[in-house]
Amino acid sequence: MSRIDRASRVIAAPPATVYGALLDRESLEAWLPPDGMRGRVERWDPRPGGGFRMILTYLDSTDSPGKTSEATDVVDVGFADLVPPECVVQRAVFEADDPSYAGTMTMTWRLAAVGDGTEVTVTATDVPPGIGQADHEAGIASSLANLASYVEAAS
């Protein structure tokens, strides 16, 4: 049985606004990198069967060595399913020589209207064993906090 990592957050914006931020290149570059990282999208094709390639760079790699190089994580992400404004399913593959980061991780972003906002629940399955569960869940929570700040400021 594969490990499942998850995190959720209520964001003070409607589901359509949150969904839009999941499928906009500039938005992803702004909010997806967790604290301590910055991101750049190299390739962008926001449709089922499409995807993107993101270069994540550690601002200080002293305590967090990268998966691809000393200071970077490179990830190829495919859009497996897009259901506006309810769900985005991504398949992520890290570029790494270390076999503990091999495999395809599925990230499911579910959006549900709650009151005046949206509950966003992220579930990661088939997480490579080289990614520590506590660190991964903290990273997802950090990205969700960034997403909240990003869309709430725009609303």
Side-chain angles (χ1 to χ4, degrees), residues 5-148:
D5 297 350
R6 45 173 69 86
S8 65
R9 181 182 183 106
V10 174
I11 296 176
T17 300
V18 176
Y19 185 87
L22 293 172
L23 291 176
D24 178 77
R25 179 183 190 146
E26 291 79 22
S27 297
L28 274 177
E29 286 180 334
W31 68 261
L32 186 58
D35 287 343
M37 301 186 90
R38 70 174 178 271
R40 180 174 47 87
V41 173
E42 282 193 334
R43 176 178 48 80
W44 183 249
D45 185 6
R47 62 179 175 82
F52 62 96
R53 178 180 176 87
M54 182 170 255
I55 311 298
L56 293 160
T57 304
Y58 289 87
L59 302 178
D60 177 5
S61 62
T62 307
D63 294 327
S64 302
K67 296 169 191 64
T68 306
S69 73
E70 187 174 304
T72 62
D73 292 348
V74 177
V75 62
D76 283 303
V77 178
F79 291 116
D81 196 18
L82 300 173
V83 183
E86 300 170 5
C87 184
V88 173
V89 180
Q90 304 169 331
R91 301 245 195 284
V93 178
F94 286 96
E95 200 174 274
D97 291 332
D98 184 339
S100 71
Y101 297 113
T104 302
M105 175 174 62
T106 300
M107 301 277 295
T108 303
W109 300 72
R110 295 206 182 279
L111 313 178
V114 291
D116 291 335
T118 303
E119 181 175 24
V120 181
T121 302
V122 182
T123 305
T125 57
D126 299 319
V127 180
I131 300 173
Q133 186 166 12
D135 289 341
H136 192 223
E137 289 180 338
I140 296 169
S142 176
S143 292
L144 284 171
N146 294 341
L147 174 60

